[in-house]
Amino acid sequence: MMKNFFYFFAFVSMFFVSCSSSDDTAMQGVLVTKMIQSFEDGTVETINFNYSGNKLLGQTFDNGYSTVTYTGDLISKIEVFFNNALESRTLYTYDSNQRLTQFERYEYDDFSDYGDKIVYTYNTNGTVSFSEYSGNLDNPLTLSDTGTFTLNAIGEVVSASTLNSGDTTYTYDDKNSPYLNVLGLNKLLFDEDPNGMIHNIVQELNSFNYNRTSTFTYNAAGFPVTEQIEEDDEIINIQYFYNTDN
């Protein structure tokens, strides 16, 4: 699951963060170009990011690659391929305010095809409710979960309450996400789960005793250069590289 998240990216206009100082102007050009992940079993995986300007065209990784499709400045589709076979397709739908209203992911293998769809509702109190539908693609997707996200002032999810997974809180640092300047990712602060697209998630605490922590080191511009993830007694180490590296 963790590996699939990184392949996907990772895998959001009210959430746009404006910058005014000269240092902030310089930060706007920083793009993550490579990640190296090291797992406890000795596996090392490298992910390379490909761009046109600040539009993410896709990623390449061991035995696979992904492609990213934009509609205007919004990410509308991501496809992941392994050994040149389509493994997953993800679709994003937005409202007239460029807020994410629907997330769809379809996964394909030799045995069965699986689908997952989440529909989001923006409430007047500032929370976001969602309904999730999932199942085998041979049949209509059925309701599998419901929940609510609570957001901070810039749209990051600080807590989630779901029928199946209980209550979860998220803590962020005050530094820059590696994905801060990738066009369209500021509209995807959540999909299936919260994403660290502006700041980095340093802790995730769940009422079912699930705990995930990330410890970062940063470069002079405040972007992560290393991350150590501790999750379910597993440790994953990540190195980040940028287009501004010497």
Side-chain angles (χ1 to χ4, degrees), residues 59-97:
Q59 300 163 305
T60 58
F61 37 83
D62 295 345
N63 300 318
Y65 63 94
S66 68
T67 62
V68 179
T69 300
Y70 285 79
T71 301
D73 290 339
L74 299 173
I75 294 173
S76 54
K77 181 173 67 175
I78 299 173
E79 292 182 316
V80 178
F81 299 81
F82 280 96
N83 298 316
N84 292 317
L86 178 64
E87 181 174 269
S88 69
R89 174 181 290 121
T90 302
L91 306 174
Y92 299 97
T93 304
Y94 307 85
D95 65 14
S96 59
N97 293 317

Side-chain angles (χ1 to χ4, degrees), residues 160-177:
S161 179
T162 70
L163 181 65
N164 292 338
S165 301
D167 299 325
T168 307
T169 59
Y170 301 88
T171 304
Y172 299 80
D173 63 12
D174 59 356
K175 304 297 185 179
N176 301 311
S177 164

Side-chain angles (χ1 to χ4, degrees), residues 31-60:
L31 294 170
V32 60
T33 55
K34 183 169 70 172
M35 294 167 51
I36 300 177
Q37 307 169 75
S38 301
F39 298 87
E40 286 187 311
D41 63 2
T43 301
V44 177
E45 297 179 345
T46 300
I47 300 174
N48 293 289
F49 295 72
N50 305 310
Y51 297 93
S52 176
N54 63 344
K55 280 189 174 182
L56 181 63
L57 300 179
Q59 300 163 305
T60 58

Side-chain angles (χ1 to χ4, degrees), residues 108-169:
Y108 310 97
D109 61 33
D110 295 335
F111 303 101
S112 64
D113 298 332
Y114 179 84
D116 190 51
K117 179 175 75 172
I118 304 176
V119 179
Y120 305 96
T121 300
Y122 293 81
N123 304 312
T124 56
N125 65 357
T127 62
V128 180
S129 301
F130 62 87
S131 298
E132 182 174 7
Y133 303 83
S134 59
N136 190 291
L137 293 182
D138 291 335
N139 302 295
L141 302 183
T142 58
L143 182 66
S144 56
D145 201 7
T146 59
T148 302
F149 290 141
T150 300
L151 313 179
N152 63 16
I154 60 172
E156 295 171 319
V157 176
V158 294
S159 66
S161 179
T162 70
L163 181 65
N164 292 338
S165 301
D167 299 325
T168 307
T169 59

Side-chain angles (χ1 to χ4, degrees), residues 5-6 9-10 30-32 35 49 51 59 176-183 185-186 196-198 200 223 240 242:
F5 169 79
F6 288 118
F9 281 133
V30 179
L31 294 170
V32 60
M35 294 167 51
F49 295 72
Y51 297 93
Q59 300 163 305
N176 301 311
S177 164
Y179 315 106
L180 177 66
N181 295 316
V182 180
L183 186 66
L185 290 188
N186 66 318
M197 297 303 185
I198 296 177
N200 304 289
F223 289 86
Y240 296 94
Y242 299 90

Side-chain angles (χ1 to χ4, degrees), residues 2 6 35-38 225-229 236-240:
M2 179 62 65
F6 288 118
M35 294 167 51
I36 300 177
Q37 307 169 75
S38 301
V225 292
T226 67
E227 177 182 5
Q228 183 175 86
I229 299 171
I236 302 170
N237 288 290
I238 305 173
Q239 296 173 270
Y240 296 94

